[in-house]
Amino acid sequence: MTRKRSVAAVWSLVVVALLPAVVAVLQLGRIHPDEVYQALEPAYWRVHGYGVLAWEWRDGIRNWAVPGVLAGFLKLASWLGITDPQGYRALTALPQLALHAWSLWAVFRFAARRAGSAGGWLAVMLVGLYGPVVVFAGRTLSESFSTSFLLVAMEALDRREREVRAGLLGGAALGLAVVTRYPSAIFVLAALLWLLAMRRWRMVLFTCLGGLVVAAGLGLLDHLTWGSPFHSFIAYVRFNVLSGDAAARFGADPPRFYLKPLLSAVPVWAWGAVPLALIAAKRKWEWEVSLPLTCATLYLAALLKTPHKEERFLYPALVLAVLAAAPVVAAFITTRARREFRWGLSAVALGVGAASAVYFPPFDLRGDEFRAIVASTRREGATGVLIVAEGLWGAGGFFYLGKEIPWLTCDWPRDEAFQVAMRERRFNRVVTIDDRTLPELEAAGFRTVERFGRQSLLVRD
């Protein structure tokens, strides 16, 4: 690859890495309430001294690693005088942007070993523009942070040179994947089993050492924040694994729950990698057991056995499966397909992968609602906000209000919260969807001043 093409490829990686962050900041909204109440809101509480803390932060079932980092960037926003919620949300996106860029560089290195430099860059496009990655990678969900660290770990553990450095990096990345999301411990076990099966004893040793360093850091963090080492990890395991409390509180589903998300989220080209890999292996008489595919498969098996199920839990497995498939498809397109068809095949594969975002996640991300909430306090004089057709944990918390003012949620005019907001004049902003409760709001003196898709912002003097 020429220098000019190399520079263009690097800039392509930068642009692809930026895309999820730009989408998340401009769109706002949330995939799941945890995006707000397990990351952004506790970080906001740390910096400003007020906020809505979910029960996990009372019971010590989460660690402060991610909120602590985000709190540092929120503090920086305060020093810079950035008070607009969308502005400081952009600032908090920077560490995740850097992590995502690192993970895409890892994708290139992983794929280039199998498909050459050109195939490596195509694999970066296939993974980076994969629909769920565009949607998730800029979101402050534990699945998003953890998956980026897993990509780094897969590449490091795949190396055959400098095994000491590779093992330490891979172990540390696996450890950070667990710190940011405790269920990712399954990937650690899967990766270690793979290394043992491959008889890579030296790599196993240094992977464990790298992971132990991160584990020690987690123990110290929990000691400083919760009063005892590994408090959050032990509490998490007790609640989610050793007891039936998680299924009792959040519900249980049969294994078929994941069938539709899997079929709709895995791009066609990834399925096509299976016969391509078999043909290539038969030609070389060399069979490779894929590390990322092994980890994804074992993790998926664990998900199927876990009573409580959510679509977002699939995200790490989907991305690792795509990582395993991308080099195979990229190698075929860049080396075996007829030259005149290569650009067309690449475009089709990228388009099919990006289209997966339509089906995964399969619900509204509430972007219009969050943009309306942000706008409600941008206007001078906001002293209280009512959010109609939303619950406490679905809204954006104080993080997206950006002010210490009262806010309520309700569904219908008969709800007590609605009636309180109508009586008390301090509630002078309302966000509602599809003009729900509009007659009652107008009767109380509210008028529509701005629309955001299906959402409306109303004010009263």
Side-chain angles (χ1 to χ4, degrees):
M1 183 179 287
T2 65
R3 179 178 175 81
K4 185 176 181 180
R5 288 186 177 181
S6 297
V7 172
V10 171
W11 277 109
S12 299
L13 185 147
V14 172
V15 172
V16 173
L18 272 169
L19 186 57
V22 171
V23 169
V25 171
L26 294 182
Q27 184 183 37
L28 298 184
R30 45 74 177 168
I31 295 172
H32 186 276
D34 281 5
E35 186 177 333
V36 176
Y37 293 101
Q38 304 301 343
L40 297 174
E41 189 76 353
Y44 191 89
W45 176 84
R46 276 286 184 186
V47 173
H48 297 284
Y50 65 92
V52 180
L53 290 183
W55 67 273
E56 290 94 336
W57 299 103
R58 296 193 306 269
D59 296 354
I61 205 170
R62 300 274 183 166
N63 69 68
W64 281 95
V66 169
V69 172
L70 297 179
F73 282 82
L74 283 176
K75 194 69 175 177
L76 176 61
S78 296
W79 289 338
L80 295 175
I82 301 173
T83 58
D84 182 84
Q86 199 161 22
Y88 56 68
R89 175 65 183 91
L91 204 58
T92 60
L94 293 179
Q96 191 168 15
L97 167 61
L99 175 60
H100 183 49
W102 185 21
S103 72
L104 290 181
W105 176 246
V107 170
F108 168 75
R109 289 174 59 92
F110 180 90
R113 294 189 192 111
R114 294 158 173 80
S117 182
W121 290 117
L122 178 55
V124 168
M125 300 296 111
L126 290 171
V127 176
L129 297 179
Y130 173 46
V133 169
V134 174
V135 175
F136 274 78
R139 299 286 176 172
T140 53
L141 280 170
S142 60
E143 288 82 4
S144 303
F145 293 110
S146 187
T147 300
S148 291
F149 282 119
L150 288 172
L151 289 175
V152 173
M154 294 299 106
E155 186 279 321
L157 298 181
D158 179 66
R159 298 178 192 176
R160 297 289 174 171
E161 73 285 354
R162 297 181 180 180
E163 288 198 336
V164 173
R165 179 184 298 181
L168 291 173
L169 174 59
L174 285 174
L176 290 169
V178 175
V179 169
T180 51
R181 182 176 182 262
Y182 287 146
S184 290
I186 299 167
F187 291 107
V188 176
L189 296 176
L192 290 176
L193 287 174
W194 183 86
L195 290 172
L196 290 171
M198 297 295 105
R199 299 186 177 185
R200 300 184 65 187
W201 316 119
R202 186 178 174 87
M203 184 70 87
V204 171
L205 173 62
F206 287 100
T207 297
C208 290
L209 286 177
L212 286 174
V213 171
V214 175
L218 173 63
L220 177 61
L221 176 64
D222 271 6
H223 176 70
L224 295 174
T225 53
W226 294 119
S228 61
F230 306 108
H231 178 281
S232 61
F233 183 79
I234 294 170
Y236 182 92
V237 171
R238 184 181 297 121
F239 178 81
N240 287 282
V241 180
L242 301 181
S243 72
D245 292 346
R249 180 176 296 192
F250 302 117
D253 290 284
R256 66 176 180 274
F257 174 89
Y258 287 126
L259 181 60
K260 184 177 179 180
L262 279 173
L263 293 176
S264 60
V266 178
V268 174
W269 62 258
W271 296 111
V274 177
L276 290 176
L278 292 175
I279 293 170
K282 185 177 180 181
R283 185 184 304 113
K284 297 179 182 178
W285 292 100
E286 182 178 314
W287 300 88
E288 177 186 11
V289 179
S290 168
L291 170 60
L293 187 58
T294 298
C295 291
T297 302
L298 293 178
Y299 172 76
L300 180 59
L303 283 188
L304 295 175
K305 294 288 290 182
T306 304
H308 177 59
K309 297 175 176 62
E310 296 182 32
E311 288 93 345
R312 64 189 173 110
F313 296 164
L314 284 174
Y315 177 68
L318 289 172
V319 176
L320 291 195
V322 167
L323 173 65
V328 179
V329 174
F332 172 78
I333 293 176
T334 57
T335 63
R336 300 196 62 80
R338 292 177 61 176
R339 189 175 298 273
E340 61 268 27
F341 293 154
R342 290 176 185 176
W343 283 103
L345 287 173
S346 299
V348 170
L350 292 172
V352 168
S356 301
V358 176
Y359 309 103
F360 190 90
F363 41 74
D364 179 21
L365 302 187
R366 308 290 182 107
D368 293 341
E369 178 185 295
F370 276 47
R371 290 193 296 276
I373 291 172
V374 169
S376 71
T377 56
R378 276 179 179 158
R379 292 172 172 269
E380 292 294 328
T383 55
V385 180
L386 175 68
I387 305 169
V388 179
E390 186 58 276
L392 170 64
W393 303 116
F398 283 99
F399 180 92
Y400 282 106
L401 284 175
K403 293 182 179 180
E404 191 175 7
I405 59 176
W407 58 281
L408 298 171
T409 61
C410 70
D411 286 314
W412 305 103
R414 62 177 177 273
D415 296 342
E416 181 179 358
F418 184 90
Q419 296 174 25
V420 168
M422 296 304 99
R423 289 195 306 267
E424 298 186 14
R425 301 292 298 183
R426 61 177 177 163
F427 287 94
N428 59 357
R429 301 287 188 272
V430 174
V431 173
T432 186
I433 186 170
D434 295 335
D435 290 334
R436 184 185 293 191
T437 72
L438 185 60
E440 291 82 0
L441 291 171
E442 291 177 337
F446 285 94
R447 68 184 188 282
T448 301
V449 294
E450 200 168 355
R451 292 190 180 274
F452 301 83
R454 296 171 58 197
Q455 299 281 341
S456 299
L457 171 61
L458 296 89
V459 305
R460 68 178 171 185
D461 301 322

